[in-house]
Amino acid sequence: MSATLIRIPHADARGLLHRLLLVSSAGVLCVSLVYFLLGCCDSDVSENAPGGSSGPGTTGTPGLDGDGAGREWTASRRLPQALIIGVKKGGTRALLEFLRLHPDVRALGSEPHFFDRHYARGLGWYRSLMPKALDGQIVMEKTPRYFVAAETPARIHSMSREIKLIVVVRDPVTRAISDYTQIISKTPDIPSFESLTFKNRTSGQIDSQWSPIWIGLYAKHLERWLAYFPLSQIHFVHGERLISDPAGELGRVQDFLGLQRIITDKHFYFNKTKGFPCLKKPEGSSKPHCLGKTKGRAHPKIDPEVIQRLRDFYYPHNLKFYQLVGQDFGWQ
């Protein structure tokens, strides 16, 4: 039996070949798309894509409108380039909130306590807490306990030798009373400030190991930092002037951080009820922004004799601190 040869018209053959090519191209495209979706690209691209969250306790990424929107794809989590390291009840929260006005500052809102409490978790964990930042933005956080914790200068130095450090200092007597005021708001049954101030009230010996008094020994704590960092990398904010002249203090901090002076007088007004400056009403908000109700608490009345004893106690320590930093803060 002879085989029957089926002849396909030339035009039909070309059409069949064209359809086969189309099907083949569609298949390749589908496979490529599936491969892409399954993670061939860097996962950080999707994490940093526009509309992504900056995470809890962080500010939103500023400056991304207009042609800046494309730059958000380069945003990443970095270790901080600046730290507010102290002191407790000196004005660190106010300073952080004021600095967050600056478009080139990306600051963690909460206190991570990495270098004093969570160091064993590692730098990767620490970095994961930071807000995403663009090139040119400064990442920072604040934990006031760093200044007095003995182990923190060496740990921070091992992370970065060039990091910039900010310390907000305040009259140590007023700071101690403010510290005590916070303590009694949480534990109202503790002894009086006067009784805790002295090892022996009769002899008048100050208990320098009591935390509210010990923190105010600024020179003692600073000496540890100067063993690792030059004074040029440490900026001291005058706590009293942060209240009376916030724009002036913020101007000096912006200079220290190498930032343009964007935060100025126009951003502040003085709240007489609270007794400290607040931020003026931001655009799109219905009310001005003041710090929380825990800030600006009324201090308990302290025996003037005890206050004078404390001033006498701190006097030589303050003088040494002035000499170390080359600045007289004028505490009486």
Side-chain angles (χ1 to χ4, degrees), residues 310-331:
L310 279 174
R311 296 208 180 283
D312 294 342
F313 167 77
Y314 276 121
Y315 181 75
H317 297 282
N318 290 343
L319 285 183
K320 186 173 183 180
F321 179 63
Y322 298 166
Q323 291 167 356
L324 286 174
V325 304
Q327 182 179 350
D328 187 337
F329 289 85
W331 301 319

Side-chain angles (χ1 to χ4, degrees), residues 145-219:
R145 193 174 179 275
Y146 290 164
F147 185 64
V148 299
E151 66 276 11
T152 54
R155 290 175 174 179
I156 292 172
H157 186 265
S158 70
M159 178 188 75
S160 171
R161 297 183 178 185
E162 289 78 33
I163 197 162
K164 295 186 176 183
L165 306 169
I166 300 173
V167 188
V168 189
V169 288
R170 180 184 184 187
D171 181 334
V173 177
T174 309
R175 198 221 65 82
I177 297 171
S178 180
D179 199 345
Y180 176 78
T181 302
Q182 178 172 291
I183 293 170
I184 61 174
S185 72
K186 300 175 181 178
T187 53
D189 296 330
I190 66 169
S192 68
F193 179 88
E194 289 86 348
S195 61
L196 292 170
T197 294
F198 299 98
K199 286 185 176 180
N200 186 312
R201 180 77 184 267
T202 304
S203 67
Q205 184 181 5
I206 302 292
D207 185 359
S208 61
Q209 297 304 307
W210 183 41
S211 179
I213 293 174
W214 175 72
I215 290 173
L217 300 173
Y218 302 145

Side-chain angles (χ1 to χ4, degrees), residues 42-317:
D42 188 349
S43 61
D44 206 33
V45 171
S46 60
E47 180 184 358
N48 294 328
S53 170
S54 296
T58 66
T59 57
T61 304
L64 294 177
D65 51 336
D67 59 13
R71 293 175 60 215
E72 189 177 8
W73 288 77
T74 68
S76 60
R77 300 190 196 281
R78 303 195 303 264
L79 292 171
Q81 297 132 288
L83 295 173
I84 300 174
I85 60 173
V87 298
K88 180 184 180 185
K89 307 309 295 179
T92 58
R93 170 56 60 183
L95 178 63
L96 183 75
E97 292 302 315
F98 296 162
L99 279 173
R100 290 172 89 179
L101 288 174
H102 202 292
D104 289 331
V105 169
R106 300 286 288 124
L108 183 67
S110 57
E111 296 176 4
H113 284 277
F114 173 66
F115 294 102
D116 61 327
R117 296 178 185 170
H118 304 297
Y119 193 64
R121 296 186 180 219
L123 287 174
W125 177 83
Y126 184 48
R127 182 189 290 109
S128 74
L129 302 179
M130 296 300 127
K132 294 178 183 176
L134 302 172
D135 291 342
Q137 290 181 318
I138 292 177
V139 177
M140 64 189 307
E141 62 109 330
K142 76 108 176 169
T143 303
R145 193 174 179 275
Y146 290 164
F147 185 64
V148 299
E151 66 276 11
T152 54
R155 290 175 174 179
I156 292 172
H157 186 265
S158 70
M159 178 188 75
S160 171
R161 297 183 178 185
E162 289 78 33
I163 197 162
K164 295 186 176 183
L165 306 169
I166 300 173
V167 188
V168 189
V169 288
R170 180 184 184 187
D171 181 334
V173 177
T174 309
R175 198 221 65 82
I177 297 171
S178 180
D179 199 345
Y180 176 78
T181 302
Q182 178 172 291
I183 293 170
I184 61 174
S185 72
K186 300 175 181 178
T187 53
D189 296 330
I190 66 169
S192 68
F193 179 88
E194 289 86 348
S195 61
L196 292 170
T197 294
F198 299 98
K199 286 185 176 180
N200 186 312
R201 180 77 184 267
T202 304
S203 67
Q205 184 181 5
I206 302 292
D207 185 359
S208 61
Q209 297 304 307
W210 183 41
S211 179
I213 293 174
W214 175 72
I215 290 173
L217 300 173
Y218 302 145
K220 178 182 178 69
H221 306 305
L222 179 60
E223 285 178 330
R224 284 198 307 272
W225 291 91
L226 293 178
Y228 291 90
F229 296 97
L231 195 61
S232 60
Q233 281 177 233
I234 308 175
H235 179 75
F236 298 91
V237 175
H238 195 305
E240 286 80 15
R241 284 208 296 258
L242 186 60
I243 294 174
S244 63
D245 180 22
E249 284 302 303
L250 264 293
R252 286 180 278 276
V253 173
Q254 290 170 94
D255 292 345
F256 172 69
L257 294 175
L259 298 170
Q260 182 182 351
R261 285 199 178 198
I262 289 177
I263 307 169
T264 62
D265 279 324
K266 69 180 182 181
H267 291 99
F268 301 99
Y269 79 96
F270 191 79
N271 186 308
K272 293 181 180 179
T273 303
K274 285 183 170 288
F276 56 74
C278 296
L279 299 175
K280 289 182 179 178
K281 183 176 71 173
E283 188 175 347
S285 176
S286 60
K287 58 183 179 180
H289 173 61
C290 284
L291 299 181
K293 62 182 180 180
T294 61
K295 306 299 179 181
R297 292 189 188 100
H299 291 177
K301 185 173 178 59
I302 306 298
D303 184 340
E305 181 188 350
V306 173
I307 291 177
Q308 188 56 52
R309 291 278 188 93
L310 279 174
R311 296 208 180 283
D312 294 342
F313 167 77
Y314 276 121
Y315 181 75
H317 297 282

